Amino acid sequence: MDSMELIYAAEAAVVTVLLGLAAIPLARKYKARQSIREEGPKSHRIKAGTPTMGGLFMLLAALLVIGGNHLYDPAVLLLVLITFGHALLGFLDDFIKAEKKRNLGLTARQKLLGQLILSIVFCFGCVEYLGLPTSISIPFIDTDISIGAFYYPFVVLVVVGASNAVNLTDGLDGLAAGCCIIAFGAYALFCYWSGMPDLTAFALIIAGCCAGFLVYNYHPAKIFMGDTGSLALGGAIAGIAVITRTELLLVFLGLIFVVEALSVILQVTSFQLTGKRIFKMSPIHHHFELCGWNEVRVVWTFWLVELFVAGGTLFLLF
């Protein structure tokens, strides 16, 4: 990876840090503060009132760096669409929470409808304008399986699943931001080695923005990214996976996000079928907290797992 491409990440990180200097006081001034759900760990109640919607300045930094470097490739523009479409959806959710001073924003149905629309529009653009085949690429064995009309629901599943998974991961200071740095960094390497310079640049820019945001989001967090940031990051990583035809590889490059989402699905399913819970609390990072791990230990452990699996996956691929 040459120095020019790495500069994208550095620019994004610096711009994010600089914007954060102004954005955090503004968030406090306009009372964009986080509400903590009552059923969450008691140790989190001290976080009530922490500014949220930090995803706004993080994504503004991404947009400035993308535009400043004239990254107008059609694939990048589609990624901007899916990323900022989810950011808008998340912003509406965060705004309602802040305005109503509660931990409930958009209803689940409203949020899902928005995600479905964004996913379908994105998939249409990938097929009609980028010419992507309606098939699934199987990692490690270089095989494609054509699924025809089922490609649309498959992409919808990937995008909705990834955006919600990153959203669920954003429950501890720095957890989602750190995992996103690793996941987007891994995708940047994949795109670079696969000869996709514009996608490499996009992945590096998002990774850089997450790194800059982590300056303010690491424990104890000065600001949370909110659904504005987490839904957007999930949409972005799903978008890269679809365009690079590595949807199944995303399971490994974004393992922590998958585990977090699965823990919620298993918990809900188990409780509905048997009346018993598998974990002390879901998502799974709360389970470890209730087992006695402090927040920093959970975050660092999850980061290391994500780094090890993503790095190992790239090693096996290349």
Side-chain angles (χ1 to χ4, degrees):
M1 192 172 295
D2 59 47
S3 59
M4 185 60 214
E5 287 171 318
L6 291 174
I7 286 174
Y8 292 137
E11 286 179 353
V14 171
V15 173
T16 302
V17 171
L18 292 176
L19 289 177
L21 293 174
I24 294 175
L26 283 174
R28 290 197 186 101
K29 179 180 178 181
Y30 290 103
K31 296 180 173 56
R33 299 180 184 275
Q34 182 71 30
S35 298
I36 304 299
R37 60 189 181 122
E38 288 296 323
E39 63 272 22
K42 293 180 180 178
S43 60
H44 285 214
R45 292 176 186 175
I46 195 173
K47 300 182 181 187
T50 302
T52 188
M53 288 194 249
L56 282 174
F57 72 84
M58 179 173 61
L59 293 167
L60 175 59
L63 197 60
L64 290 173
V65 176
I66 290 169
N69 287 285
H70 307 291
L71 299 172
Y72 301 136
D73 179 83
V76 172
L77 294 179
L78 274 174
L79 288 173
V80 169
L81 170 69
I82 195 72
T83 301
F84 286 86
H86 277 85
L88 177 59
L89 188 64
F91 173 76
L92 292 173
D93 192 48
D94 287 334
F95 181 80
I96 293 171
K97 290 175 184 175
E99 186 70 17
K100 301 293 184 181
K101 294 181 174 58
R102 64 187 190 191
N103 197 47
L104 297 172
L106 294 174
T107 65
R109 185 172 296 180
Q110 289 169 333
K111 192 180 294 186
L112 179 59
L113 178 61
Q115 291 171 313
L116 287 173
I117 292 171
L118 289 168
S119 303
I120 293 169
V121 171
F122 175 73
C123 186
F124 179 83
C126 288
V127 173
E128 298 298 325
Y129 295 103
L130 298 186
L132 292 186
T134 54
S135 61
I136 301 174
S137 178
I138 309 301
F140 306 114
I141 59 175
D142 196 28
T143 299
D144 283 4
I145 298 177
S146 179
I147 57 174
F150 290 103
Y151 183 71
Y152 272 81
F154 173 69
V155 170
V156 168
L157 178 64
V158 171
V159 175
V160 173
S163 59
N164 285 325
V166 176
N167 183 240
L168 290 170
T169 305
D170 185 34
L172 299 179
D173 296 355
L175 178 57
C179 288
C180 281
I181 293 170
I182 298 166
F184 282 104
Y187 261 113
L189 287 171
F190 176 88
C191 293
Y192 177 75
W193 289 331
S194 301
M196 306 174 185
D198 290 307
L199 295 183
T200 301
F202 181 85
L204 284 172
I205 288 168
I206 301 299
C209 288
C210 290
F213 184 74
L214 193 58
V215 171
Y216 302 111
N217 188 235
Y218 186 72
H219 185 75
K222 298 178 180 65
I223 191 167
F224 301 135
M225 67 172 68
D227 284 11
T228 307
S230 60
L231 287 179
L233 292 175
I237 199 168
I240 295 175
V242 171
I243 291 177
T244 57
R245 304 188 65 238
T246 56
E247 298 95 344
L248 299 184
L249 203 62
L250 180 57
V251 173
F252 303 101
L253 296 182
L255 179 69
I256 290 298
F257 306 130
V258 176
V259 170
E260 293 274 16
L262 279 177
S263 71
V264 174
I265 294 170
L266 290 172
Q267 183 87 324
V268 172
T269 303
S270 176
F271 188 76
Q272 288 182 342
L273 294 178
T274 69
K276 297 180 180 180
R277 293 179 172 85
I278 299 173
F279 308 104
K280 293 185 176 183
M281 185 178 291
S282 64
I284 197 169
H285 54 257
H286 290 322
H287 170 81
F288 286 101
E289 282 190 288
L290 295 180
C291 285
W293 290 26
N294 64 49
E295 187 168 343
V296 173
R297 181 184 177 186
V298 176
V299 169
W300 274 95
T301 301
F302 279 40
W303 285 356
L304 290 173
V305 170
E306 173 68 19
L307 180 62
F308 178 79
V309 175
T313 301
L314 291 176
F315 177 79
L316 292 173
L317 280 173
F318 296 99

